[in-house]
Amino acid sequence: MSVRFAVIGAGKVGKALACLLARAGYEFLGVSSRSMESARAARRFVGSGAAVADAARLTPKADLVFITTPDTAIASVCEGLAQGGALTPGAVVAHCSGALPSSVLESARAAGCHVGSLHPCQAVASAGEAVRVLPGSYCCIEGDLAAVEALEEVARVLHMQIVKVPTSAKPLYHAAACVASNYLVALQHAAVRLQQAAGIGREEALQCLLPLMKGTVSNIERAGLPDALTGPIERGDVATVESHVAAVAGSAPDLLPIYREMGRLTVEVSLAKGNIDRRAADALLQVLARGEGA
Ligand SMILES: NC(=O)c1ccc[n+]([C@@H]2O[C@H](COP(=O)([O-])OP(=O)(O)OC[C@H]3O[C@@H](n4cnc5c(N)ncnc54)[C@H](OP(=O)(O)O)[C@@H]3O)[C@@H](O)[C@H]2O)c1
């Protein structure tokens, strides 16, 4: 018998999961959300299931309930279902947050359910794009044994790879995901601002820097860490780094701390790559610290 599942929270992740699981043969009972408009849009997106205002019309029949609301609403949505007697003992209740533990679903556990979390390690900007990129992506799974087993099966049918993380380490795991994804966007913003300070238009700066970033990601994919690193720090070029520090200090001083800190990390990577020795590293670190605290 196929797994019957329901989704609460008809956003990007909820719609993508529902669509992929329905395609994989899980029985989609339906979706509820804060607004009926979103629930109906999700039903259309998936092409099956019901769109309902009250999740309690779906969840008693579900073997698997995904709560894909924003993180702040997960615990209260779960409590509402548990207190309303809308969860069937033995069912699995899961959320998709990368930072929260499955224990935020404690009310479902008290109602006899198994609780867990499955966090897609992917930047989901739209449900349509997520349907394309989630298969092949990693996901982090944790929770109680039966929930982990059910979520591992979900990952398997969605062709997602699994990284197991102790529940207590989820905030660190999620911080890593933020550094890799969100901070990449913020770094691009910093780079665009520096080119703007050099007199290049914002849109042109973005277009100029994008192929560089894509090439770098491709180098990381091909050569790995630390070998993907190139540039003046990796070459031990102290004079160039000195000119950067002076230029950033003069034209965009608020970006100097990030330039310095990323430079220090780049020295660490360069040392690991073996292109610079300790002496060159110290010279670079000295230049990066010049004027600091002045
Ligand atoms: N986006 C990502 O890159 C990403 C990646 C991995 C994991 N996640 C996790 O996935 C989960 C969902 O994120 P998302 O990006 O899909 O968020 P989202 O697009 O903002 O969708 C959240 C949905 O939840 C609904 N909602 C809000 N409060 C609700 C409530 N009290 N009851 C029922 N529905 C409610 C909203 O409803 P209405 O539209 O009806 O107002 C919205 O459609 C979060 O736990 C997030 O941490 C996100």
Side-chain angles (χ1 to χ4, degrees), residues 107-155:
S107 54
R109 187 182 278 139
C113 296
H114 305 291
V115 300
S117 71
L118 180 154
H119 171 254
C121 196
Q122 186 53 263
V124 177
S126 77
E129 180 64 5
V131 165
R132 200 178 62 76
V133 299
L134 286 185
S137 297
Y138 272 82
C139 62
C140 159
I141 291 176
E142 57 81 42
D144 62 40
L145 193 60
V148 166
E149 279 174 8
L151 294 173
E152 282 178 350
E153 182 59 15
V154 165

Side-chain angles (χ1 to χ4, degrees), residues 47-262:
S48 64
V52 300
D54 182 5
R57 283 184 50 203
L58 302 169
T59 52
K61 289 170 265 170
D63 307 305
L64 175 59
V65 176
F66 270 112
I67 301 179
T68 50
T69 62
D71 288 11
T72 47
I74 292 171
S76 62
V77 164
C78 186
E79 275 160 29
L81 291 171
Q83 283 159 15
L87 295 170
T88 303
V92 170
V93 180
H95 67 69
C96 291
S97 165
L100 293 176
S102 49
S103 55
V104 297
L105 303 170
E106 186 49 44
S107 54
R109 187 182 278 139
C113 296
H114 305 291
V115 300
S117 71
L118 180 154
H119 171 254
C121 196
Q122 186 53 263
V124 177
S126 77
E129 180 64 5
V131 165
R132 200 178 62 76
V133 299
L134 286 185
S137 297
Y138 272 82
C139 62
C140 159
I141 291 176
E142 57 81 42
D144 62 40
L145 193 60
V148 166
E149 279 174 8
L151 294 173
E152 282 178 350
E153 182 59 15
V154 165
R156 197 187 62 75
V157 303
L158 298 189
H159 306 289
M160 297 185 80
Q161 318 206 52
I162 297 168
V163 57
K164 278 194 188 166
V165 173
T167 303
S168 60
K170 270 192 91 175
L172 264 182
Y173 153 85
H174 193 244
C178 286
V179 169
S181 174
N182 312 150
Y183 285 14
L184 188 63
V185 177
L187 271 182
Q188 181 74 338
H189 170 73
V192 165
R193 278 194 47 208
L194 288 173
Q195 283 212 344
Q196 283 183 287
I200 301 169
R202 183 179 161 73
E203 195 45 41
E204 195 180 2
L206 190 60
Q207 293 312 320
C208 166
L209 292 164
L210 257 179
L212 176 62
M213 288 189 96
K214 285 184 184 168
T216 307
V217 170
S218 150
N219 288 344
I220 296 171
E221 204 167 16
R222 195 177 35 77
L225 287 175
D227 287 354
L229 185 66
T230 60
I233 291 182
E234 182 257 8
R235 290 191 292 272
D237 184 347
V238 177
T240 297
V241 177
E242 204 165 13
S243 74
H244 290 180
V245 171
V248 177
S251 298
D254 63 312
L255 292 178
L256 193 53
I258 188 83
Y259 183 88
R260 291 193 210 276
E261 284 309 321
M262 292 309 295

